[in-house]
Amino acid sequence: MSQTVKVSFRGPGRDGAKRSIDVPAGTPILDAALRAGVDIESTCGRRGKCRSCRVKVLSGDIPPATLQDTIQLGHDAVHERFRLSCQTNAIADCAILPAPPKTEAGHQILLAGESDALTGGLLDSGVAKHLVRAEAPMDENHQTSDLEELVAGIDGGDNLTPSLDVLRAVPEVLRKGKDGTTLTTFLGRIVDIEAGDTRDRMYGMAFDIGTTSIVGSLVDLGSGEQLTAVGGINPQATYGGDLMSRISFAQFDARKLATLRGRVLNAINDFIAEACDKAGVSPDHVYKIVIVGNTCMHHIFLGIDTSYVGLAPYAPVVREAIVVPARDVPLKRASRAHVCLLPIIAGFVGADTIAAVLATRIYESEETRVMVDIGTNGEVVMGGRDRLMACSAPAGPALEGGQIEHGMRAAIGAVEGVTIDGDVECKVVGDARAVGICGSGLIDAAAKMLDAGLMNPAGRLRHEDMEELPEAIRKRFVKGSGWRGFCIVPAAEAGGGHDIVLTQMDIRQLQLAKGAIYSGVLMLQNIMKVADGDIAELMLAGAFGNYVSTRSAVRIRLLPPLPLDKITYVGNAAHLGAELALLSETERNRACDIAGRIEHVALATRQEFQDLFVDACNFSEPDSV
């Protein structure tokens, strides 16, 4: 029998209580925390490449610090018994204090905005309600059934197939329906039967399951009106901030896949309940749900093994559109609904990209347009009516605050804008005291530091001719054990009691992230022979694109050097596309046609990509913007 040890966690668990758990000796502290119900975020997916899972060992023996512990936390912190919980095993009874998470109240999630995309168009959701007036069979000589009597009043009723739940309800509902009986159908199936006239109660929901966040909306399928929007952080983030981290976590391990799936299913079920409660409607009247997301999120939602999506040639298990009863998923909060998932393009270009293409109408453009979805897993689509090409640009979590020394998501207390003119001034989300810096602030800070000559186009912080700088700026250059940085917010002005510093390593992480996006654009331009001047419009999609300064994005070469009036925000295009597919089967079918048209470009297989990427990691010269 293997030895067990007790790991006690100080501070709140999910229910606010202190947690202790017995685990086999040698269990990583991060695994012990998750089993105990204590959420410790692991942005890098347990690879020891970030600080998000750091803990302090209050008591008990622990192994010597690993190289990753020392690199990420520093010698002083390691000496004070700080460790990365993903790298440190529990070898004896111990007490653990997880590092307090950065305050992320009021996280800025771009919920679905109201859209007039179908104004004046046809609402053909595929869901229909039929009021029939039927009586139960009365004559033994008349060979009939309850169901036949009900469907006799519907055109084409003979071809309708009832669900088993409907069949079970038929006898009682038919005999209660003195004022008629309402049958609800979807794509040739009877999905609900109710006594009385309920034709005015017919709803659907659209969800975009992103790597970082989930957004959804409740829509009246009869009028097309959006009734309410919901959204929040994707709870899978505890197991990794990027797709490869989550794939690695669950690779060839059915239990861990079930863990990830359970997190997202619980979130979707809760959002369904929240939306219906806010709108004052019954979840029983939600009949259609459209889900979009990248390939990894799509597969995890369905419980499909993602192991081989993470291995060359990165093929998805299925690319076709899928329609399944909600109870089979299961989505218990909307048991009468059918769940529709849009088609996938490739292993890292998923249904969310198809939805964004559908929403932006780039597929019918006579001019060349570009759609860029900036996120943990970025996508680029280029072309128009005659040709469409797409690629995946894996930026990683840096633009969402991950793997950045004082990075955080765009929540209250996050620096989101920077001005440098004699000294540094910051714009902070919620007008609160700063506790960290989010992606838009990171981009803005880099752009303003370039303009002020505080770092060069290669991304190196200034270290020569410092006397030429204003004294207030000069004092902001700081050094630590093996690192240099630039102080954005001094401790006296910050909410966390410490300097908020942009380190040289942070700048390198930004360069890798923005280089991935920009090199994806450059590659498609090269293949399609599209010069910058030939691009009629560049559309920024996604929550992140909605908040970033376009000038700063161009300045650091996150985006190509286009006139700023050619760069437009299109909001959460993936979610809007999901709403279009929810309200219109014509649009949902069009998504399948679009998926068949798009040519996927695997960047890593192109010989010239490495050179493009290396160049794209550099910042632009001051006179090039």
Side-chain angles (χ1 to χ4, degrees):
M1 181 180 294
S2 63
Q3 179 188 358
T4 61
V5 298
K6 182 182 291 294
V7 183
S8 301
F9 293 94
R10 305 294 190 239
R14 285 181 201 152
D15 61 1
K18 182 179 75 174
R19 301 294 185 94
S20 296
I21 189 169
D22 292 329
V23 296
T27 299
I29 290 174
L30 179 58
D31 285 343
L34 294 173
R35 293 182 196 177
V38 177
D39 280 348
I40 298 178
E41 193 167 303
S42 176
T43 301
C44 71
R46 301 162 175 255
R47 291 177 290 179
K49 294 185 177 181
C50 72
R51 303 170 69 250
S52 62
C53 71
R54 65 195 184 280
V55 298
K56 184 171 185 177
V57 183
L58 300 176
S59 64
D61 294 334
I62 52 173
T66 66
L67 178 61
Q68 290 93 331
D69 288 323
T70 304
I71 290 173
Q72 297 298 334
L73 302 176
H75 291 285
D76 292 342
V78 164
H79 182 70
E80 294 175 10
R81 295 171 63 87
F82 282 93
R83 294 290 190 273
L84 299 178
S85 61
C86 70
Q87 302 295 309
T88 305
N89 295 335
I91 60 173
D93 293 352
C94 57
I96 303 295
L97 177 67
K102 293 181 175 67
T103 302
E104 293 195 355
H107 178 56
Q108 293 185 165
I109 295 193
L110 187 62
L111 299 179
E114 295 185 8
S115 169
D116 59 358
L118 281 179
T119 299
L122 176 65
L123 295 175
D124 59 329
S125 68
V127 178
K129 284 205 166 190
H130 312 269
L131 180 63
V132 297
R133 301 190 182 279
E135 294 183 354
M138 301 294 292
D139 187 346
E140 290 186 49
N141 294 314
H142 184 198
Q143 288 185 279
T144 186
S145 65
D146 289 356
L147 182 64
E148 287 172 281
E149 293 299 311
L150 282 168
V151 301
I154 303 174
D155 289 340
D158 292 343
N159 298 318
L160 293 174
T161 304
S163 69
L164 185 56
D165 284 346
V166 168
L167 278 178
R168 290 168 177 160
V170 162
E172 181 179 2
V173 173
L174 173 61
R175 287 161 179 82
K176 276 185 176 180
K178 296 180 181 179
D179 297 321
T181 302
T182 302
L183 295 179
T184 305
T185 62
F186 178 65
L187 299 182
R189 290 185 63 83
I190 304 173
V191 296
D192 196 13
I193 179 172
E194 302 168 279
D197 186 355
T198 64
R199 287 176 295 177
D200 61 339
R201 283 164 267 176
M202 188 170 68
Y203 309 103
M205 292 201 71
F207 285 99
D208 173 23
I209 302 176
T211 309
T212 302
S213 60
I214 301 173
V215 297
S217 59
L218 177 68
V219 177
D220 187 319
L221 298 180
S223 67
E225 177 188 2
Q226 183 191 116
L227 301 179
T228 191
V230 290
I233 299 297
N234 186 332
Q236 295 174 346
T238 301
Y239 301 94
D242 60 89
L243 296 181
M244 288 306 298
S245 295
R246 292 183 208 173
I247 290 173
S248 177
F249 169 76
Q251 204 159 38
F252 304 117
D253 192 322
R255 288 190 304 173
K256 289 182 177 178
L257 175 64
T259 297
L260 289 179
R261 184 173 183 241
R263 283 291 182 102
V264 73
L265 288 182
N266 288 340
I268 297 294
N269 273 308
D270 288 346
F271 284 138
I272 292 171
E274 178 187 346
C276 290
D277 183 63
K278 287 166 67 176
V281 305
S282 170
D284 289 342
H285 291 129
V286 174
Y287 297 111
K288 182 180 178 183
I289 298 173
V290 173
I291 302 278
V292 301
N294 57 56
T295 305
C296 180
M297 295 299 100
H298 171 284
H299 281 26
I300 290 174
F301 174 80
L302 292 174
I304 297 173
D305 186 8
T306 58
S307 296
Y308 296 99
V309 177
L311 299 172
Y314 313 106
V317 174
V318 60
R319 293 200 308 151
E320 291 75 18
I322 293 175
V323 180
V324 293
R327 66 176 61 86
D328 291 353
V329 174
L331 290 181
K332 297 179 181 179
R333 295 287 190 174
S335 60
R336 290 169 171 78
H338 273 67
V339 178
C340 305
L341 294 102
L342 297 192
I344 287 169
I345 299 172
F348 289 97
V349 185
D352 51 349
T353 300
I354 292 291
V357 170
L358 194 68
T360 57
R361 298 300 200 236
I362 188 174
Y363 63 86
E364 62 183 15
S365 174
E366 295 183 359
E367 300 175 286
T368 299
R369 284 179 160 76
V370 182
M371 184 195 72
V372 180
D373 190 336
I374 302 175
T376 305
N377 184 64
E379 295 90 19
V380 181
V381 179
M382 182 178 294
R385 177 179 298 174
D386 298 327
R387 190 182 190 189
L388 281 173
M389 302 193 82
C391 69
S392 169
L399 297 179
E400 300 283 356
Q403 298 184 17
I404 301 299
E405 181 75 15
H406 294 111
M408 63 182 292
R409 299 185 180 103
I412 293 174
V415 174
E416 62 174 340
V418 174
T419 301
I420 300 178
D421 184 12
D423 202 356
V424 178
E425 293 185 8
C426 296
K427 179 182 178 184
V428 180
V429 176
D431 293 325
R433 290 171 72 88
V435 294
I437 184 167
C438 65
S440 59
L442 183 65
I443 290 170
D444 212 34
K448 301 304 170 54
M449 289 170 70
L450 284 166
D451 288 341
L454 307 185
M455 66 179 177
N456 65 21
R460 187 178 184 186
L461 288 172
R462 182 166 176 163
H463 63 284
E464 297 176 342
D465 302 322
M466 302 297 283
E467 66 280 357
E468 297 177 2
L469 299 174
E471 182 180 2
I473 294 292
R474 192 165 60 246
K475 289 180 177 179
R476 289 180 178 267
F477 283 89
V478 293
K479 291 182 180 180
S481 178
W483 61 270
R484 295 180 68 237
F486 183 77
C487 180
I488 300 296
V489 181
E493 300 173 15
H498 56 75
D499 292 345
I500 297 173
V501 177
L502 192 60
T503 70
Q504 184 68 72
M505 184 58 70
D506 293 338
I507 294 169
R508 297 303 182 214
Q509 291 293 334
L510 171 62
Q511 288 178 280
L512 292 173
K514 70 94 179 177
I517 299 290
Y518 189 37
S519 58
V521 177
L522 288 174
M523 177 60 78
L524 296 190
Q525 285 185 263
N526 287 358
I527 295 173
M528 299 186 74
K529 301 188 185 326
V530 174
D532 292 340
D534 296 329
I535 297 175
E537 181 183 19
L538 188 147
M539 298 173 283
L540 281 179
F544 183 80
N546 196 64
Y547 298 111
V548 69
S549 160
T550 54
R551 184 203 174 279
S552 293
V554 171
R555 177 68 178 89
I556 71 167
R557 295 177 83 217
L558 170 64
L559 300 176
L562 302 178
L564 297 186
D565 60 1
K566 283 191 174 184
I567 301 174
T568 60
Y569 298 114
V570 292
N572 194 335
H575 184 268
L576 176 56
E579 280 195 338
L580 291 174
L582 174 67
L583 290 169
S584 171
E585 282 295 289
T586 300
E587 295 289 338
R588 193 170 73 84
N589 291 330
R590 182 176 285 123
C592 298
D593 294 337
I594 291 170
R597 282 185 51 197
I598 293 180
E599 303 171 52
H600 175 246
V601 177
L603 297 180
T605 64
R606 298 275 176 166
Q607 289 185 340
E608 66 271 37
F609 176 68
Q610 190 64 34
D611 291 337
L612 285 176
F613 175 71
V614 170
D615 177 68
C617 286
N618 289 320
F619 297 119
S620 63
E621 297 290 345
D623 59 355
S624 64
V625 180

